[in-house]
Amino acid sequence: MPRDLNINSVLVIGSGPIIIGQAAEFDYSGTQACRTLKEAGLRVILVNNNPATIMTDPGIADVTYMEPLTIPYLTEIISRERPDALLPTLGGQVGLNLASELSRHGVLDRFGVKLLGTSLQAIAKAEDRMEFKQAMIEMGQPVAKSAIVSTVQDALSAAAEIGYPVIVRPAYTLGGTGGGMATDALDLKTITEQGLRYSPVCQVLIEASIAGWKEIEYEVIRDGAGNAITICNMENIDPVGIHTGDSIVVAPCQTLSDQELQMLRTASLQIVGALGISGGCNVQLALHPESMEYCVIEVNPRVSRSSALASKATGYPIAKVATLVSLGYNLDEIENAVTGTTACFEPALDYVVVKIPRWPFDKFSTANRSLGSQMKATGEVMAIGRNLETALQKAIRSLEIKLEDLYLPALTPLSDDALYRKLALRDDERIFVLAELFRRGYELEELHRRTRIDRYFLHKIYGLVQWESLLATEELSAELLREAKQLGFTDKSIARYRSTTADAIRALRAEHNIKPSFKMVDTCAGEFAARTPYFYSSYEQEDEAGPLDSERVVVIGSGPIRIGQGVEFDYCSVRASLGLREAGRAAIVINNNPETVSTDFDTSSRLYFEPLTAEDVIGILEKEQPQGIMVQFGGQTAVNLAESISRAGFKVLGTDADAMDVCEDRERFDQMLAELDIPRPEGRTARSAEQAEQLAAELGFPVLVRPSYVLGGRSMAIVENLDDLHRYLREAVQVSPDHPILIDRYLTGKEIEVDVISDGEDILIPGIMQHIERAGVHSGDSIAVYPPVDVTDEQSASIVDYCRRIARKLNIRGLMNLQFVLYRNNVFVLEVNPRASRTVPFLSKVTGIPIVKLATRIMLGETLQQMGITPGLGETPGYTSIKMPVFSFNKLTEVETSLGPEMKSTGEAIGVAASLPEALYKAFLGAGLTLPKQGKALVTIANRDKQEALPIISALHNAGWSLYATKGTAKCLLEHGLSVETVNKATEQSPNVLELIRSGEVQLVVNTLTQGKNPQRDGFRIRRAAVEYNIPCLTSLDTLAALLEAMTDEAAVTVQAFGAK
Amino acid sequence: MHKQVSYLLLEDGSLFSGHPIGAWREQPGEVVFNTSMTGYQEILTDPSYAGQIIVLTFPLIGNYGTTPKFTESNSIHAHGLIVSESCATPSHWQSQSPLDGYLKTNNVPGLSGLDTRALTRHLRERGTMRGALVQDLQSTDHWLEQLRSYQSEPAIANLVSTPAAYRASEQGSWRVAVLDFGAKSNIVRSLAALDAEVIVYPASTPVQKLLACSPDAVVLSNGPGDPANCTQGIKAAKELLGAVPLMGICLGHQLLGLAMGAKTYRLKFGHRGGNHPVKDLRSGRVSITSQNHGYAVALDGQTDIEITHINLYDGSVEGICHRELPVFSVQYHPEACPGPTDSRYLFEQLKDTATAWRRS
Ligand SMILES: Nc1ncnc2c1ncn2[C@@H]1O[C@H](COP(=O)(O)OP(=O)(O)O)[C@@H](O)[C@H]1O
Ligand SMILES: Nc1ncnc2c1ncn2[C@@H]1O[C@H](COP(=O)(O)OP(=O)(O)O)[C@@H](O)[C@H]1O
Ligand SMILES: [Mg+2]
Ligand SMILES: [Mg+2]
């Protein structure tokens, strides 16, 4: 059926800020949807308050609203734009839930907005755990025994009937939020309470456990005529019990017979047909490992994280086809853009794909790492190989956790018992634990019994471990070396087993002419010639990647989404790639993140889906012989490769590798600033504990300490006094001559951040951003305001001046990001990053300056002047924009939530409005932080903050809030005439603070950090309790002040359109 | 650690190296590729592959082992198997033997460790061709000569057909005679599942003898070889037209086509896999089908034949029916095994046709 010609404009709702369970995959699907709709000649209206995305960039939609994703704002946008239709199934769970709500509130009817694709009834049938179960039973599809409950009491009686263990699965949440496995009534009570709190409809499913079965997923697309195809099937190496988002996944399935696969495929198609889905969806099934018995786990009636993975794993553009189906096209009317044949087919793979989640435990050392039905990963990597070993090893090194293969050194000292205990926890390192146990001679059967991981996968791990000893003992003949490379071992890991260097192995390879050959992902296993293919490496005979004829430039991507390096860098990579193509170059992207736009088949001229290590990247460079390589856009991942790339004789475009080194090498950096006469907070390097004490005393407390060898704000702390310093040296970081620590004076002041476009001579600063939270809170976790509110002209002039001097000195060509602190009216440089930054997409959007594109052209040789750009500070617009961090603490148990110099947020929301309070209001709202006008607040303030806290707390009080406080804080507040109720500390008798939080009495918790991050401490427990009970908890007084300011905003709902013509 | 190296030699002189597997020996055959990702055992035992060397494009083969449960006939008629990796340590509750052992038991040679994608692309570009598994480089000249003069067995279907008629499904509410040109077992199983009594006849069975059992329907099965060479089958199909409801599958479809005056032609590299979209022109619905054929039917001005199904990849004919007579056929495999079961409805269609025919 051709599309409905009455539809001329479509509203697309994005998925908002990135949180665990909802990451960049919806930028991929949403961007593809917008492009597809536009190509179909429709006017696209986009709403998404995530400024880091490609989809919200000019040119993707016809008009973009970066407004809070709430009913009032959406209603306002609909009433202004009058879209003919709404596409609800490409913006993740958030987009879907909003579409349902809009319909329920009658907004869609009122404005005559037609819903495209799957009907809301069908969506409800799939999403509502009860309706879904019912539908399955009617259809004769097997489901695990279960009961739907909305009270703890009912949960307990249901479980008694079903029998423990049971799993709690909340309705309408994502990433398994609030769910978990309960082995007894006590567990069940806690988990159910939590699940009910998180479920927007206060409904959870209590279900018999089928943990240990094989977890299988099918990606299905069905059109309005009822044609349905499966794009891909995927097998979780981790059996049922670990969320698919936290499982290591292979595609296609590896251990199922054709009979089993056809049975599950047929079931999936039947289910999707019976639910009446039209568009893309995902069916999760569990297959008994030793019979044909299976259960349906769930159906996601929308494009999902798995769709993004399936799309990249097969080359099939699921989001695009799903969009066209929603418009009314039948599958056989749609073309497969890759092969030029029909899109109505099922891709055939001739390789295997492995996905490994990327967990944030490197950032959160205290977190509970054990995996279960609630997702904890922030992102994922995908790797492609002609065999499983290669795909697995490539995936491991793509994670950027400093591992080359299955060897995790930290496990070596552990006892066998400790390893078994770790295995039982099923944590993020389980695959390395398995390898270590194999190394120690443990039996495969025993490990199978303990993990329920299929023997096939265990054999593969075992095989790799055997190869380790082979590599260590056998003579390294050309044949053995080739075979090792075919299994995906890197030169570095081969070198480690042979106690030699990677360079030596590399030389040996050159001698025997063993080099990677590149294969295509073409959707059809070579059956047809492909037009827009992408590539992966192998060590087989034929290399299919023919020469590109235009000038080639490589963009190094940013790898998996993790805390500190999010979708912003994918935005930059995509923009660079598009900029290169506009400039007539062939843009070659290398990346390994399946969730992103950068790995979409039509973003670049050529995509290599590969790990971002020196060896892998250089293998590609040697093949492509590009004219230049761009390392500024892929975050620290790409910057870290600069040196190896130039050492291998390739040309890094723009700023050179040495300038990058200056920014990272503390001594060289200090020296440069000294030469330029630019102040920075005084700092020293300490090589022993004694020296640290002495230097700290010299500098004067408070000081900021961090190990010199870690990047990214890890293990950074503000230390107030000698005691604190001792504790830090004892608990957090060992100092030694080889591992010095850096000690800086901690300057309490306003933090400023700028991004700079520089051609080596002139600079353009699109805008200066001021942080709400003072320096000391990581720039990624602070609320940023643009344009700044209280930076004087003089300060602003110094900032521009410093930027220019540094840019010239380092000969920055491209981008540079700087952070400053304003301390006693002076400007101090905190850090210089010679690359694109987290704030580039935000600034690009709110200033309208295409930052990455300009930087790209500079890197290709143009100057600002040639591009007709006036250097200096960009003009400020007549509105205020806020960038607000968003956290995912509810997914990560036992994690410290207090803000500090280490970054913790997973995403960001934007607020744009004419006034600061309104912009703040929108940003808070968009980040999910809302407060009632009046309520009750629990306040516990550290001694040093008490003076400063008084006016802010009294403002809160005056706004109509009643206060609870622990003894010390209460005393101080009382003394200053505020009425407050005193509560006992957590360790004291009831009723105490923790009970107060759990009782639901308070709607806000304000808690400033006293000292340390010890989970035993009161503060920590208060903050965690607040998270677990879903109560806003502010740890910075600056944030509270801003929130109060936002709350004064009484203005009506106003919205601002970007890109409207 | 030293693995033996052997080769696949193609008639155009190209050479691919791998390691011998199965019951290794030098052996010629027609080299074809199949893109199914699973179902290797069903493919191996499909008699339509008689005389062919099968290249599986999916690189990891043998992961779930082998079992008598997944066979489509009682032996392997293919001349060889070429894979990238043959799994030595399969894992599956039904598995009884690893692939390599299974090949040995069935006396079939093969190669592993070959760049199967390069080979597939080669065949795609140059078309299906003959090739031989050869031991070492010394014998290539000898084999090249052999390959260039190699003639495939003209009446190859006879070699894989049942030697004697047998009752494959004892009882049922309707009776089907299957004319066996190399039938896959699941054709019989699919019919039996629809309560059919099934009698399987050798390909050479005279039509009178076939009709003597008074079947409600006759199925012309799949099988190997060039349909135009299967004169016996074409003759039988001609005689059966109008005498009884007919269903043709794969080779059976081609024979019916030829019997009704249509032509057959050789496809460049065939259709072999489990992902080909086929559109039912009457309902407009698309099914994903299981395919294995190197020839196809083309109409030549026949007005009594209706094209019912087409392949959405290349527009080739995938199904036809007679405008008046109860006769229909499909080029693909509604019995699946391996592959999608979307087209099972065709057997029901046969049952309906047969029932209606008997009533009238
Ligand atoms: N009955 C069950 N027994 C054991 N584990 C289960 C059961 N049902 C679901 N799970 C596990 O919980 C995970 C999350 O459940 P799911 O309903 O898919 O949540 P979400 O909607 O967040 O994806 C699944 O991926 C699966 O591993
Ligand atoms: N000397 C200092 N005084 C005050 N705050 C500082 C100082 N040095 C760093 N910070 C704070 O710590 C945060 C992280 O430090 P930074 O060097 O930028 O690390 P990263 O590499 O993680 O960005 C900064 O955003 C700032 O808020
Ligand atoms: Mg799920
Ligand atoms: Mg910083």
Side-chain angles (χ1 to χ4, degrees), chain A residues 254 352 385-390 456 459-460 486-487 540, chain B residues 3 19 21 40 56-63 81-89 99-100 111-116:
Chain A
Q254 291 304 312
V352 320
R386 286 279 286 168
N387 52 50
L388 188 69
E389 291 84 346
T390 300
Y456 175 80
H459 271 299
K460 292 287 179 192
Q486 280 176 346
L487 290 173
E540 289 199 56
Chain B
K3 282 193 195 160
H19 309 294
I21 54 169
Y40 49 86
L56 294 177
T57 60
F58 190 71
L60 309 184
I61 301 298
N63 298 358
L81 176 71
I82 293 181
V83 299
S84 177
E85 177 178 320
S86 159
C87 180
T89 49
L99 177 63
D100 189 50
L111 284 174
S112 76
L114 203 118
D115 188 343
T116 47

Side-chain angles (χ1 to χ4, degrees), chain A residues 436-498:
Chain A
E436 181 62 22
L437 286 164
F438 277 128
R439 264 175 224 123
R440 297 187 191 184
Y442 281 91
E443 294 288 328
L444 190 141
E445 274 313 308
E446 175 66 17
L447 300 182
H448 169 68
R449 198 180 57 75
R450 286 175 186 257
T451 59
R452 295 280 130 209
I453 292 176
D454 194 278
R455 294 175 184 88
Y456 175 80
F457 301 115
L458 295 176
H459 271 299
K460 292 287 179 192
I461 296 172
Y462 178 53
L464 284 170
V465 168
Q466 283 181 309
W467 261 90
E468 293 174 1
S469 46
L470 212 60
L471 285 170
T473 53
E474 295 278 306
E475 191 208 329
L476 196 55
S477 64
E479 197 193 343
L480 190 75
L481 181 57
R482 184 179 312 259
E483 216 174 319
K485 295 307 284 183
Q486 280 176 346
L487 290 173
F489 283 97
T490 57
D491 293 350
K492 211 162 155 186
S493 61
I494 297 172
R496 188 179 64 232
Y497 296 118
R498 302 197 70 81

